[in-house]
Amino acid sequence: DVKVTQSSRYLVKRTGEKVFLECVQDMDHENMFWYRQDPGLGLRLIYFSYDVKMKEKGDIPEGYSVSREKKERFSLILESASTNQTSMYLCASSPGQGYNSPLHFGNGTRLTVT
Amino acid sequence: AQSVTQLGSHVSVSEGALVLLRCNYSSSVPPYLFWYVQYPNQGLQLLLKYTTGATLVKGINGFEAEFKKSETSFHLTKPSAHMSDAAEYFCAVRMFSGGYNKLIFGAGTRLAVHP
């Protein structure tokens, strides 16, 4: 079974802090994604990566950056955390570029910015 | 713009009753469609997917969905609800946008099952 592991289940940070959310997958998937989940809005794509050291902006990249130095690890960075970034963050991975490849999700990191 | 609409943010059914969760999409090309489920404090897991071929797709836990091109719909059904089906359900469509294929999600429908 594919395992996508997010390093923290809950995080509380202060406004202005630099925040790192880590995600690791163990199935050698090429593609990795970061979504945020908010009530009534579903999941919105922040950034994604189709290869090591490659990144592409999703639909809501403002205030975020990412890093993919190794194939199995995809980090989401909040350069200067703000209260409107309080949310559930979900990491996902998938193999290849196929349209029928489902995403495999981690259990999420619930971030609170105070 | 390509999008996914889930009708009804909350649905409540009795145990044993039919479950119907609605999803409509807009896409200029044949879509690849997915339903995911999220149980409390967990990530999303795949229920079923439609790519090509048979329009009635069967998934896990007794769920199925029918792709209707004429109605641009992909509604999720289960004949008899169980208490363990209480969760949030997300419809998603795989689309080609900005040079890459992306998974676009609906806003979700929270299903409550009462005795």
Side-chain angles (χ1 to χ4, degrees):
Chain A
D1 249 4
V2 177
K3 190 161 186 182
V4 179
T5 302
Q6 294 184 232
S7 55
S8 301
R9 193 77 180 90
Y10 298 94
L11 273 180
V12 180
K13 297 292 181 181
R14 293 189 181 275
T15 301
E17 277 193 79
K18 191 169 185 176
V19 181
F20 293 85
L21 304 183
E22 306 289 345
C23 175
V24 177
Q25 50 94 4
D26 65 358
M27 283 301 291
D28 202 36
H29 284 172
E30 289 83 359
N31 313 317
M32 297 189 75
F33 306 82
W34 275 106
Y35 288 87
R36 65 176 280 176
Q37 181 182 8
D38 299 288
L41 296 177
L43 278 73
R44 293 178 291 166
L45 183 62
I46 305 171
Y47 266 95
F48 58 101
S49 169
Y50 285 126
D51 202 353
V52 175
K53 296 191 185 294
M54 175 272 177
K55 59 186 178 184
E56 287 292 331
K57 293 180 180 179
D59 300 315
I60 52 164
E62 297 78 18
Y64 303 94
S65 62
V66 290
S67 172
R68 195 168 181 198
E69 296 295 318
K70 293 184 178 181
K71 191 174 186 179
E72 67 270 19
R73 185 179 297 270
F74 193 36
S75 303
L76 179 69
I77 303 157
L78 285 66
E79 297 291 342
S80 176
S82 64
T83 54
N84 63 12
Q85 292 178 310
T86 292
S87 186
M88 170 71 90
Y89 290 87
L90 291 166
C91 176
S93 72
S94 74
Q97 282 270 2
Y99 278 79
N100 64 352
S101 298
L103 269 58
H104 300 267
F105 283 87
N107 283 338
T109 296
R110 187 168 293 282
L111 173 67
T112 302
V113 182
T114 61
Chain B
Q2 297 163 322
S3 67
V4 180
T5 302
Q6 291 184 240
L7 298 175
S9 58
H10 290 81
V11 170
S12 182
V13 300
S14 300
E15 193 173 19
L18 171 72
V19 176
L20 171 61
L21 305 182
R22 299 177 188 274
C23 173
N24 289 85
Y25 67 91
S26 66
S27 175
S28 56
V29 297
Y32 291 80
L33 297 157
F34 303 80
W35 275 99
Y36 284 83
V37 60
Q38 185 180 34
Y39 297 104
N41 299 314
Q42 293 186 25
L44 278 70
Q45 63 184 80
L46 182 68
L47 265 181
L48 49 81
K49 65 179 182 181
Y50 168 78
T51 54
T52 58
T55 56
L56 183 62
V57 181
K58 294 188 183 300
I60 61 172
N61 301 338
F63 283 93
E64 60 184 35
E66 186 171 10
F67 169 60
K68 291 187 176 180
K69 186 178 178 181
S70 60
E71 298 177 8
T72 61
S73 69
F74 190 56
H75 301 330
L76 181 71
T77 60
K78 183 174 181 178
S80 177
H82 193 273
M83 298 295 287
S84 61
D85 294 327
E88 190 156 22
Y89 292 80
F90 293 91
C91 181
V93 56
R94 203 77 179 255
M95 295 176 177
F96 193 80
S97 173
Y100 296 94
N101 77 74
K102 302 176 185 177
L103 199 59
I104 308 298
F105 286 87
T109 297
R110 188 170 296 277
L111 175 67
V113 182
H114 51 86

